[in-house]
């Protein structure tokens, strides 16, 4: 691996991609397809890609963990791209160099940063110390072992899920289906409705799914503090302190930008501000895509894999245009709809001119994930095979969906 890197350094500075999640991987694989001769180096601090939307199914054992987390080394070697496992610690934009945790220093010709997001505790007291999160496999395994341990003793344990967005709702339904009466689940949401940035159809289906499972929702409520045994919630009636066994925090994310030590780049809402060509202001050869970035004039785009992948694909085209000396094109988001899982074997889908719920939606969801990942599905053979198990049933449905 290091031989490949020194070879690249001696021939031509590479295009370096830091972060190989949905944005970085889509970018790298698309660029390689468009121009196989470009030297591309992908760096990620982890060894495995995490297919985050499938983490609920790993928790419920509907799929095995390796199926949702294929190895980067396999994905990139199949595609003929050099992969390096390392953690970015510093960028010197003026010198075009990167520094990594093992003191490796690299120069780049073009830089694409896409290091995703971390849970955001909004500095609420006691959250970091006393809550569980659900953002990566480390969080997933920690939660799994807590849930497994508590399976052995008592019922009606008090579980609070903070945040009534997709993650909170999907987790609540899965946990209820796995553990039934072992947990009394409460979702705490600060606004006046759950899924307030999602499609109405999905919201209605989610409300039904929560009601069916007797999951309580506390609206207009904000968490003030979480201690070892208590959770303090502020609402119209004042501050209430309740006993808790477990709190899972899914209330929001913040960009993962610990390696940016200075204010040499402009940020908006904490995320890297890019223009509509996805380029970082003042640095012609640097780009930021996925959760860490925000596009000037398109601040309302959701923070999702769908956006990250579309940006990855678009930037690959733009970089190829740039290298050929042509003008680049502005990014445009195409809303391909949204899907949420609602317990074991159930889901809700809205968009692309149709809505679907229940078991059929669950099966369609896994197929749609694969059909919407045309560029990485060959590499993600494991997740792909899981998603396509029942393809024959959905041939007609897919045909209609793909023609939209
Ligand atoms: C549980 C869950 C469910 C979700 N479900 C959906 C869904 O159904 N639909 C949807 O559209 N979106 C969903 N999302 C959101 C979606 O996963 C993110 O928007 C998407 O992953 C963002 O892509 P990204 O490439 O910006 O970041 P990521 O996919 O998070 O990738 C970032 C990569 O950067 C690497 N990295 C971080 N820091 C460094 C560093 N310093 N050096 C080197 N590498 C680094 C990480 O290891 C990681 O591989 C979900 C998220 C979660 C947590």
């Amino acid at each position: 691996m290091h031989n490949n890197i020194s070879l690249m350094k001696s021939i031509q500075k590479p295009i370096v991609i830091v972060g190989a999640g949905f944005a970085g991987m889509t970018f790298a694989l698309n660029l390689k397809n468009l121009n196989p001769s470009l030297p591309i180096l992908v760096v990620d601090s982890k060894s495995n890609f995490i297919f985050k939307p499938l983490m609920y199914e790993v928790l419920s054992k509907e799929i095995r963990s390796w199926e949702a987390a294929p190895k980067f080394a396999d994905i990139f070697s199949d595609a003929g791209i050099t992969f390096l496992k390392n953690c970015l610690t510093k960028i010197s934009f003026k010198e075009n160099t990167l520094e990594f945790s093992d003191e490796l220093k690299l120069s780049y010709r073009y830089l694409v940063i896409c290091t995703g997001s971390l849970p955001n505790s909004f500095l609420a007291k006691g959250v970091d110390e006393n809550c569980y999160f659900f953002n990566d496999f480390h969080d997933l395994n920690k939660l799994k072992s807590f849930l497994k341990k508590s399976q052995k003793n008592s019922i009606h344990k008090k579980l609070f899920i903070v945040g009534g967005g997709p993650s909170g709702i999907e987790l609540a339904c899965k946990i209820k289906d796995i553990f039934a009466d072992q947990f009394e689940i409460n979702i705490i949401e600060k606004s006046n409705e759950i899924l307030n940035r999602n499609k109405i159809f999905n919201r209605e289906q989610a409300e039904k799914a929560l009601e069916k499972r007797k999951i309580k929702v506390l609206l207009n409520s904000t968490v003030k503090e979480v201690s070892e045994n208590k959770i303090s919630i502020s609402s119209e009636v004042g501050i209430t302190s309740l006993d808790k066994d477990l709190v899972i925090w899914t209330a929001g994310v913040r960009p993962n930008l610990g390696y940016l030590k200075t204010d040499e780049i402009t940020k908006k809402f904490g995320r890297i501000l890019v223009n509509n060509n996805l380029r970082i202001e003042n640095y012609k050869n640097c780009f930021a895509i996925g959760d860490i970035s925000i596009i000037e004039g398109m601040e309302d785009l959701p923070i999702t894999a769908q956006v990250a992948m579309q940006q990855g694909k678009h930037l690959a085209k733009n970089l190829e245009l740039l290298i050929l000396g042509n003008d680049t094109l502005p990014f445009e988001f195409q809303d391909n709809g949204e899907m949420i899982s609602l317990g074991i074997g159930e889901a809700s889908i809205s968009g692309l001119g149709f809505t679907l719920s229940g078991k059929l939606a669950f099966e369609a969801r896994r197929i749609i994930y694969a059909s919407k990942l045309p560029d990485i599905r060959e590499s993600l053979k494991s997740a792909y095979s899981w998603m396509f198990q029942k393809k024959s049933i959905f041939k007609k449905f897919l045909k209609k969906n793909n023609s939209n």
Side-chain angles (χ1 to χ4, degrees):
M1 189 75 71
H2 278 280
N3 278 347
N4 275 351
I5 293 162
S6 30
L7 190 69
M8 271 183 184
K9 282 202 297 197
S10 64
I11 303 170
Q12 190 185 19
K13 283 186 200 167
I15 296 160
V16 180
I17 300 149
V18 185
F22 282 95
M25 180 179 308
T26 310
F27 170 76
L29 296 172
N30 273 277
L31 187 64
K32 189 72 189 173
N33 266 342
L34 289 171
N35 191 338
S37 65
L38 285 174
I40 302 174
L41 171 65
V42 178
V43 189
D44 199 290
S45 50
K46 302 261 165 63
S47 303
N48 298 63
F49 175 78
I50 303 178
F51 204 124
K52 290 182 177 178
L54 294 180
M55 277 170 48
Y56 313 105
E57 279 74 26
V58 176
L59 183 72
S60 59
K61 297 195 181 141
E62 286 165 278
I63 63 169
R64 285 157 294 183
S65 54
W66 62 265
E67 290 177 295
K71 280 191 169 28
F72 283 130
D74 294 343
I75 296 168
F76 291 117
S77 68
D78 279 0
I81 294 172
T82 308
F83 172 73
L84 172 70
K85 184 176 180 238
N86 219 327
C87 184
L88 178 69
T89 51
K90 194 178 167 193
I91 305 178
S92 301
F93 287 98
K94 291 194 178 107
E95 282 109 54
N96 292 342
T97 57
L98 305 172
E99 285 175 40
F100 294 89
S101 52
D102 66 352
E103 292 178 10
L104 174 76
K105 220 172 162 180
L106 274 181
S107 301
Y108 57 83
R109 179 179 173 206
Y110 291 101
L111 173 66
V112 179
I113 39 177
C114 27
T115 44
S117 36
L118 297 169
N120 193 347
S121 64
F122 299 101
L123 301 176
K125 214 171 157 189
V127 169
D128 289 332
E129 301 85 346
N130 299 306
C131 291
Y132 284 73
F133 299 92
F134 201 69
N135 189 55
D136 57 22
F137 264 50
H138 169 77
D139 299 336
L140 172 77
N141 290 332
K142 211 172 140 195
L143 179 63
K144 239 183 181 174
S145 63
F146 177 92
L147 294 171
K148 205 173 158 193
K149 251 190 261 155
S150 46
Q151 222 169 351
K152 294 183 192 124
N153 42 49
S154 76
I155 56 166
H156 299 306
K157 283 189 174 269
K158 293 187 181 355
L159 162 56
F160 293 86
I161 296 181
V162 187
S167 280
I169 305 298
E170 293 182 276
L171 255 183
C173 292
K174 279 282 193 234
I175 292 176
K176 193 71 189 180
D177 284 3
I178 307 167
F179 297 98
D181 288 337
Q182 258 174 312
F183 290 98
E184 267 174 22
I185 306 182
N186 296 277
I187 294 175
I188 304 169
E189 166 56 42
K190 77 169 184 202
S191 73
N192 60 1
E193 60 184 355
I194 57 159
L195 298 179
N196 57 18
R197 298 198 65 196
N198 294 76
K199 312 259 184 228
I200 295 171
F201 178 79
N202 285 350
R203 188 180 313 136
E204 287 168 356
Q205 296 307 311
E207 280 163 358
K208 282 186 202 158
L210 295 175
E211 206 179 312
K212 188 170 113 186
R213 290 170 177 82
K214 298 193 171 61
I215 295 169
K216 275 193 228 151
V217 181
L218 312 175
L219 296 173
N220 300 309
S221 302
T222 313
V223 173
K224 288 286 160 209
E225 185 176 350
V226 183
S227 64
E228 209 183 322
N229 303 311
K230 299 262 183 196
I231 179 165
S232 299
I233 303 162
S234 166
S235 65
E236 301 157 335
V237 295
I239 293 188
T240 323
S241 181
L242 301 170
D243 288 340
K244 64 97 172 154
D245 292 294
L246 170 65
V247 179
I248 309 174
W249 187 269
T250 64
V253 290
R254 65 187 163 89
N256 184 4
L257 295 173
Y259 48 84
L260 284 185
K261 307 277 187 243
T262 62
D263 287 336
E264 55 192 326
I265 60 169
T266 314
K267 292 193 209 146
K268 194 163 189 180
F269 306 125
R271 294 157 70 196
I272 298 175
L273 187 68
V274 293
N275 67 13
N276 62 7
N277 293 321
L278 311 175
R279 195 195 295 248
I280 300 173
E281 204 184 324
N282 297 331
Y283 300 103
K284 284 197 159 165
N285 58 342
C286 297
F287 304 85
I289 51 174
D291 288 5
I292 57 159
S293 67
I294 192 161
I295 303 174
E296 179 103 70
M298 297 175 82
E299 287 83 356
D300 281 343
L301 281 186
I303 302 176
T304 61
Q306 193 183 138
V307 171
M309 290 176 68
Q310 288 186 24
Q311 290 181 343
K313 195 168 181 180
H314 184 81
L315 184 58
K317 271 191 220 140
N318 264 359
L319 205 67
E320 172 69 350
L321 287 172
L322 202 66
I323 288 166
L324 296 173
N326 298 322
D327 289 341
T328 53
L329 301 166
F331 173 73
E332 279 169 30
F333 174 60
Q334 190 195 335
D335 184 352
N336 290 330
E338 66 178 38
M339 310 183 273
I340 52 172
S341 75
L342 293 171
I344 293 184
E346 289 182 39
S348 177
I349 301 176
S350 176
L352 297 163
F354 71 94
T355 55
L356 198 65
S357 65
K359 293 192 187 334
L360 192 63
F362 179 81
E363 297 300 347
R365 174 177 169 265
R366 52 176 159 185
I367 293 168
I368 289 170
Y369 273 142
S371 72
K372 294 293 164 202
L373 298 175
D375 308 304
I376 62 175
R377 66 184 175 194
E378 284 309 322
S379 310
L380 293 177
K381 287 188 187 99
S382 45
Y384 179 71
S385 69
W386 176 79
M387 288 171 185
F388 272 89
Q389 271 166 28
K390 300 194 180 166
K391 184 172 179 177
S392 55
I393 308 172
F394 290 99
K395 261 190 179 151
K396 271 192 192 157
F397 172 79
L398 261 180
K399 226 176 178 179
K400 181 175 167 251
N401 179 34
N402 280 338
S403 62
N404 278 319

